[in-house]
Amino acid sequence: MIPLLILLFLAPTPSLSAPTTLTVTPKTLTKSGDTVSIQWSNVPSPSKLDWLGIYSPPDSRHDHFIGYKFLSESPTWASGSGSISIPLTNLRSSYSFRIFRWADSEINPKKQDHDHNPLPGTAHLLASAGSVGFETGRGPEQVHLAFTEDASEMRVMFLAEDGEKRYVKYGEKKDQMGHVAVASVERYERGQMCDKPANSSIGWRDPGWIFDAVIKGLKKGVRYYYKVGSDSKGWSETHSFVSRNEDSNETIAFLFGDMGAATPYTTFERTQDESISTMKWILRDIEALGDKPAFVSHIGDISYARGYSWLWDEFFALIEPVASRVAYHVCIGNHEYDWPLQPWKPDWSYTVYGTDGGGECGVPYSLKFHMPGNSLEPTGTRAPATRNLYYSFDMGVVHFVYISTETNFLQGSNQYNFIKHDLESVDRKKTPFVVVQGHRPMYTTSNENRDAPLRNRMLEHLEPLFVENNVTLALWGHVHRYERFCPLNNFTCGSMGMDGEPSEAFPVHIVIGMAGQDWQPIWQPRPDHPDDPVFPQPMRSLYRGGEFGYTRLVATKEKLTLSYVGNHDGEVHDMVEILASGQVLSGGVAASVKESETTSGSGSGSGSGPRGELTKSTFSWFVQGASILVLGAFVGYVIGYISHTKKAATSGRSWTPVKTNEDA
């Protein structure tokens, strides 16, 4: 009996299954955009629904992930092992990672993301990995500039992990930044948010501390170098900008709406991969400018965070290469503000103002930006008053006006009085061109039926001010396409002064909401959706384009030119020229646009292209000579974003965006 027991003891026993392992390297990152490699092994009976959860803070509840990726994005997932690389943005808190098993039978149709795809379940945890953090002492991030009311100043804003005093060091030479500006500091709290998800445990994250400094006494049109931070907490890298020049005979700006930001993972809200291309091409143009001043204008629907705090961080990380070089100006859109109890919500607007702000009620927008002027409206809650609503400034030969379509603009309101007084006070000898910008359009031919009551009030209250004061351009977002109209007054095209007839200086309305948001209104039936409605292109609509992109404005004392640049090729797809007299020259596509596009009128996307006779542009853009040299500088920039832009489709389990009018 004893020998038998010994033999049984020495005999090999069946091996137990090895546990699932999850490792992440490196453990410490230097700055936003640095990449971690996530590796796993021994996933039993791999399924296409197995997924990786991304968490920050690292001790968040299982269902409070900030994003997720399916393991099937790794080519070797079916073996039970694989790896994924993800660039991470500094959220001022560490990250952790977890792997879950999820079954078809556990899909909950009531828990969906913005595109109505089911959110993954967290009932079966397979493995978790320790935290990954960022180095301390490397200085603040999310640096962005803005003009003040004084042309000899530049505002510098940035974000840090605490409220300890920070500064801006600056000077005309990179190695001699002997001047110092002290930054003020501000932050907002969860209790100041107005609704969920912004004030819920899923949407809320520590927003950090927002610093705001003003550099004063700048010389005209001079390049200045600067960095932000402190000796005790570290300094940022050195940036530079070119100051405004009041005496300049040239104005350069890059304008768009509805851009958002991309994420390297799927999250609760749809994100905008095209935003990366928009910033890439604008950065190309800025590099080509040399020492010419310029600025960016982003007219509403800024980050599309919609109450999910970390998406603001992703947005500012995306724009920093541009916004740290030129002033970045904004106006408020529905996705920054709208909420059920907003103070101004007249009876006629029940289809207009909803819950698009995700409970933020304008708070992150109000504190993360600081625009010229002091416009504000109370929220009626614990939240601070909503700021940056309407303001104006001069840049060279153009007077720029920003308005809010989300707050009261009717006759007698504070905003109406500002617009009226501002337009009547413009010195047209100094700034012969006036450009007004707001989020929701006064004119559009897309099927934006829910905004019809608002458009009617804009036509009644604001259009007479625009016409009477000879506004040159009215630029709008909200509709995620490009559309250029003839000079308009009450839906009627004014004379363009052709064939010897006198011209009528009516405003030219252009919709420029094509910078990133991927919901697109349908103008023409698609081959796979022949029953979709068709929205005819009336005569007042001269060009409709479906290409993502932005516009660039170049103006002298004599002429303003606005060009529509497409993201897929960085080329001009449409342009219009307006003389200082208000006469609108016949606009058209640039000579570089393919012949098929100019003759078929289809544009480069699904838009219906130009209407009427096109004239070859005489517009000369300085970037043409420098673009080849500059593109080399973007190789590293693009490579750094490759993993950020590619959301690999899950094999057999790809979620498809559902695009509805509610996404505008």
Side-chain angles (χ1 to χ4, degrees):
M1 176 63 76
I2 292 177
L4 179 60
L5 292 173
I6 293 174
L7 288 174
L8 290 173
F9 179 78
L10 295 176
T13 57
S15 62
L16 299 176
S17 297
T20 301
T21 63
L22 180 65
T23 59
V24 183
T25 54
K27 295 293 185 182
T28 303
L29 303 177
T30 301
K31 63 183 184 307
S32 289
D34 286 354
T35 298
V36 295
S37 176
I38 303 162
Q39 298 177 312
W40 64 89
S41 61
N42 301 325
V43 172
S45 305
S47 162
K48 290 182 179 179
L49 285 180
D50 296 337
W51 62 281
L52 172 76
I54 304 158
Y55 295 84
S56 182
D59 58 353
S60 299
R61 280 174 36 179
H62 286 340
D63 58 340
H64 289 179
F65 48 82
I66 65 169
Y68 64 91
K69 295 176 78 73
F70 288 103
L71 302 191
S72 56
E73 293 186 26
S74 171
T76 61
W77 71 273
S79 69
S81 300
S83 65
I84 293 175
S85 293
I86 303 176
L88 297 179
T89 294
N90 186 357
L91 301 182
R92 302 157 304 283
S93 177
S94 297
Y95 285 80
S96 66
F97 305 86
R98 305 167 201 174
I99 289 179
F100 295 91
R101 166 63 44 80
W102 187 34
D104 284 306
S105 61
E106 296 173 319
I107 293 177
N108 184 350
K110 294 183 179 180
K111 292 186 176 181
Q112 300 179 339
D113 65 12
H114 186 67
D115 289 320
H116 310 299
N117 297 311
L119 291 169
T122 59
H124 310 293
L125 176 68
L126 297 181
S128 60
S131 63
V132 172
F134 286 80
E135 285 184 16
T136 59
R138 296 193 62 86
E141 294 187 325
Q142 303 186 22
V143 180
H144 56 105
L145 304 173
F147 297 139
T148 73
E149 297 86 347
D150 190 330
S152 68
E153 298 177 345
M154 181 69 82
R155 186 177 302 281
V156 184
M157 300 188 73
F158 51 93
L159 200 74
E161 70 278 6
D162 61 53
E164 185 176 304
K165 192 172 289 292
R166 302 307 204 279
Y167 307 87
V168 179
K169 285 186 176 181
Y170 64 99
E172 294 181 46
K173 295 183 178 180
K174 195 172 184 179
D175 57 351
Q176 294 181 19
M177 293 184 285
H179 301 285
V180 177
V182 180
S184 62
V185 64
E186 200 168 10
R187 70 177 269 126
Y188 55 92
E189 304 294 344
R190 176 173 169 177
Q192 295 174 317
M193 302 292 99
C194 298
D195 210 339
K196 61 182 182 181
N199 62 3
S200 72
S201 51
I202 291 181
W204 173 258
R205 294 295 187 278
D206 179 3
W209 295 78
I210 303 163
F211 288 83
D212 184 343
V214 176
I215 299 175
K216 300 182 178 182
L218 300 175
K219 299 176 183 177
K220 298 177 181 180
V222 171
R223 180 170 295 280
Y224 286 87
Y225 297 87
Y226 72 99
K227 60 183 179 179
V228 302
S230 68
D231 291 338
S232 61
K233 293 291 186 175
W235 293 90
S236 72
E237 63 178 286
T238 298
H239 305 283
S240 72
F241 65 85
V242 179
S243 59
R244 273 192 285 178
N245 184 356
E246 294 177 284
D247 302 328
S248 175
N249 189 39
E250 184 177 48
T251 300
I252 301 169
F254 306 95
L255 313 99
F256 54 83
D258 304 76
M259 186 177 73
T263 57
Y265 46 74
T266 304
T267 186
F268 298 93
E269 295 284 358
R270 183 189 311 140
T271 55
Q272 298 77 35
D273 287 348
E274 278 290 334
S275 61
I276 296 173
S277 294
T278 301
M279 285 293 99
K280 179 192 73 170
W281 292 118
I282 291 177
L283 187 56
R284 170 202 65 174
D285 290 354
I286 291 171
E287 292 278 5
L289 288 176
D291 288 336
K292 292 184 177 182
F295 76 99
V296 165
S297 187
H298 186 163
I299 56 174
D301 287 5
I302 310 298
S303 70
Y304 284 100
R306 291 175 279 203
Y308 294 96
S309 179
W310 59 88
L311 295 181
W312 278 109
D313 292 291
E314 297 288 352
F315 170 79
F316 280 105
L318 170 69
I319 70 166
E320 186 180 52
V322 166
S324 61
R325 298 171 186 238
V326 298
Y328 199 101
H329 279 260
V330 294
C331 68
I332 198 166
N334 52 303
H335 285 295
E336 284 74 60
Y337 182 71
D338 290 2
W339 56 293
L341 299 179
Q342 65 190 76
W344 192 67
K345 200 168 186 178
D347 293 341
W348 52 262
S349 69
Y350 72 96
T351 63
V352 179
Y353 303 123
T355 61
D356 297 330
E360 292 183 354
C361 57
V363 176
Y365 167 84
S366 296
L367 273 69
K368 288 177 176 291
F369 297 101
H370 189 164
M371 298 293 99
N374 57 1
S375 62
L376 53 84
E377 296 287 345
T379 59
T381 69
R382 289 183 57 194
T386 309
R387 310 174 194 171
N388 308 320
L389 295 175
Y390 42 89
Y391 62 95
S392 66
F393 60 84
D394 292 341
M395 175 69 166
V397 298
V398 182
H399 181 72
F400 292 92
V401 185
Y402 293 76
I403 67 174
S404 168
T405 58
E406 311 310 298
T407 52
N408 193 354
F409 57 81
L410 304 186
Q411 190 167 355
S413 67
N414 292 335
Q415 179 169 203
Y416 178 91
N417 293 338
F418 165 82
I419 296 170
K420 184 176 187 297
H421 179 265
D422 187 84
L423 293 179
E424 291 174 350
S425 303
V426 177
D427 181 354
R428 301 306 280 255
K429 293 181 180 179
K430 178 183 177 184
T431 54
F433 302 101
V434 175
V435 177
V436 177
Q437 300 162 90
H439 183 59
R440 301 187 198 235
M442 186 180 295
Y443 287 99
T444 176
T445 62
S446 76
N447 189 32
E448 278 291 336
N449 291 331
R450 67 174 182 156
D451 280 350
L454 179 135
R455 287 199 299 273
N456 291 338
R457 269 72 183 183
M458 294 173 71
L459 289 164
E460 177 185 355
H461 295 269
L462 297 183
E463 186 175 47
L465 294 180
F466 292 8
V467 173
E468 291 166 10
N469 292 284
N470 298 320
V471 167
T472 310
L473 278 175
L475 302 178
W476 313 100
H478 195 58
V479 175
H480 307 142
R481 290 285 180 108
Y482 172 88
E483 182 170 25
R484 174 171 58 86
F485 292 89
C486 64
L488 274 175
N489 180 21
N490 192 26
F491 293 94
T492 302
C493 290
S495 169
M496 295 175 67
M498 309 300 285
D499 301 323
E501 63 186 358
S503 64
E504 294 176 283
F506 292 157
V508 173
H509 291 256
I510 305 181
V511 178
I512 57 172
M514 67 298 180
Q517 176 57 264
D518 65 355
W519 182 87
Q520 301 278 290
I522 302 302
W523 282 327
Q524 293 182 341
R526 293 171 291 175
D528 55 339
H529 292 78
D531 297 329
D532 279 350
V534 179
F535 304 113
Q537 186 173 8
M539 291 303 296
R540 64 179 176 274
S541 174
L542 299 184
Y543 189 101
R544 299 196 300 196
E547 172 76 8
F548 289 103
Y550 60 98
T551 62
R552 58 193 181 201
L553 179 152
V554 178
T556 65
K557 284 279 190 181
E558 294 76 31
K559 183 173 68 175
L560 180 151
T561 302
L562 190 80
S563 303
Y564 163 39
V565 183
N567 272 358
H568 85 279
D569 58 5
E571 298 291 339
V572 174
H573 290 254
D574 182 52
M575 53 79 63
V576 63
E577 296 173 312
I578 306 174
L579 300 181
S581 63
Q583 180 179 352
V584 180
L585 304 184
S586 181
V589 292
S592 60
V593 179
K594 295 179 181 178
E595 181 68 21
S596 62
E597 295 176 353
T598 61
T599 57
S600 68
S602 62
S604 62
S606 57
S608 51
R611 174 184 296 285
E613 182 180 356
L614 299 179
T615 59
K616 184 176 180 179
S617 171
T618 58
F619 173 59
S620 176
W621 178 247
F622 48 79
V623 86
Q624 294 176 359
S627 59
I628 295 177
L629 296 175
V630 173
L631 284 176
F634 281 90
V635 172
Y637 177 75
V638 175
I639 291 174
Y641 270 105
I642 285 177
S643 59
H644 194 67
T645 61
K646 292 184 178 179
K647 295 180 182 177
T650 308
S651 244
R653 289 291 178 185
S654 294
W655 297 151
T656 304
V658 177
K659 302 176 182 182
T660 72
N661 270 335
E662 295 305 311
D663 301 329

